[in-house]
Amino acid sequence: MKSLKHLALIVFSFGLLASCTSVRVVSDYDQKADFNTYKSYAFYKTGIDKAQISDLDKKRILRAIEAELGSRGFVKSDNPDVLISIFTKERERVDVYNNYGWGWGGFYSPWAWGPGWGWGWGGNNVSTRTEGSLYIDVIDANKKELVWQGRGVGTLNNTKNIEKKEQRIKEFVSQILEEYPPQMAVASN
């Protein structure tokens, strides 16, 4: 029975770890935009300067965007088809886990005292983590209109390990830009 409890704890821990490292992505776009005509880009400095993150993290995000767009055949240009802007949001997330259920020993049961099978209550665990949102905007350079926006939300790893931080930023950008260009818009053209 003890090994069953340990196995359940390990499975729960992996599930929790996987949910913490994933990036939840949503995107929206202008259905009238012709995404097939966009081949070049430039960064929209005015928008990027407003992002409330460190200049080093801005550089990391922009390098990751350059790599993603470059791998898709986009070229950086002084006369771009689209402008790319970013902004960020951050919030503390509080998770409360109730430790109750059926189990063997270690639980308090109002009907019985001591080890054995039964329903029990083990108290609450509270954890906090920083959850961040990264928005990537694609703006039609000629019309000066937003044509696509992707948002990634996930846990930010407050780590001193720069390589891990760079990797996490690359994950955010990659998963957000998986949604670009919108498949429905490209398929209808």
Side-chain angles (χ1 to χ4, degrees):
M1 282 298 161
K2 227 178 193 182
S3 63
L4 184 60
K5 282 175 78 173
H6 287 290
L7 180 61
L9 180 62
I10 290 170
V11 169
F12 175 75
S13 297
F14 278 119
L16 183 61
L17 183 62
S19 70
C20 290
T21 61
S22 66
V23 178
R24 296 176 310 282
V25 175
V26 294
S27 65
D28 195 7
Y29 65 95
D30 180 350
Q31 291 181 325
K32 295 181 181 178
D34 185 0
F35 291 92
N36 293 318
T37 62
Y38 302 141
K39 305 292 180 202
S40 62
Y41 73 96
F43 289 114
Y44 184 57
K45 184 172 174 18
T46 304
I48 293 168
D49 286 346
K50 292 179 184 177
Q52 296 182 353
I53 53 173
S54 76
D55 287 342
L56 292 172
D57 283 341
K58 284 180 193 176
K59 286 181 187 180
R60 291 179 180 106
I61 291 169
L62 298 181
R63 281 194 301 259
I65 291 172
E66 282 180 343
E68 280 293 318
L69 292 178
S71 72
R72 295 161 184 248
F74 278 80
V75 293
K76 204 169 183 183
S77 171
D78 291 332
N79 187 21
D81 301 321
V82 294
L83 299 170
I84 307 295
S85 186
I86 63 167
F87 67 96
T88 59
K89 288 184 180 179
E90 189 176 283
R91 71 181 181 111
E92 281 296 310
R93 181 173 174 159
V94 178
D95 295 313
V96 179
Y97 301 99
N98 295 319
N99 297 325
Y100 59 88
W102 286 95
W104 172 260
F107 290 115
Y108 166 75
S109 170
W111 302 283
W113 185 263
W117 283 100
W119 178 259
W121 179 259
N124 294 328
N125 287 332
V126 178
S127 68
T128 60
R129 56 190 165 129
T130 302
E131 187 172 75
S133 298
L134 170 62
Y135 293 79
I136 300 176
D137 292 343
V138 177
I139 303 161
D140 185 297
N142 294 324
K143 296 177 184 177
K144 303 293 189 250
E145 294 178 351
L146 181 68
V147 292
W148 184 88
Q149 182 178 69
R151 178 184 65 154
V153 179
T155 303
L156 299 177
N157 296 334
N158 295 329
T159 179
K160 292 181 182 182
N161 184 324
I162 300 303
E163 289 82 21
K164 285 183 180 180
K165 185 181 231 182
E166 293 240 4
Q167 186 58 40
R168 186 65 175 154
I169 288 171
K170 287 177 185 177
E171 283 175 37
F172 259 76
V173 169
S174 174
Q175 290 183 26
I176 293 168
L177 289 177
E178 276 181 16
E179 304 269 327
Y180 183 87
Q183 297 304 313
M184 290 180 65
V186 172
S188 66
N189 290 327

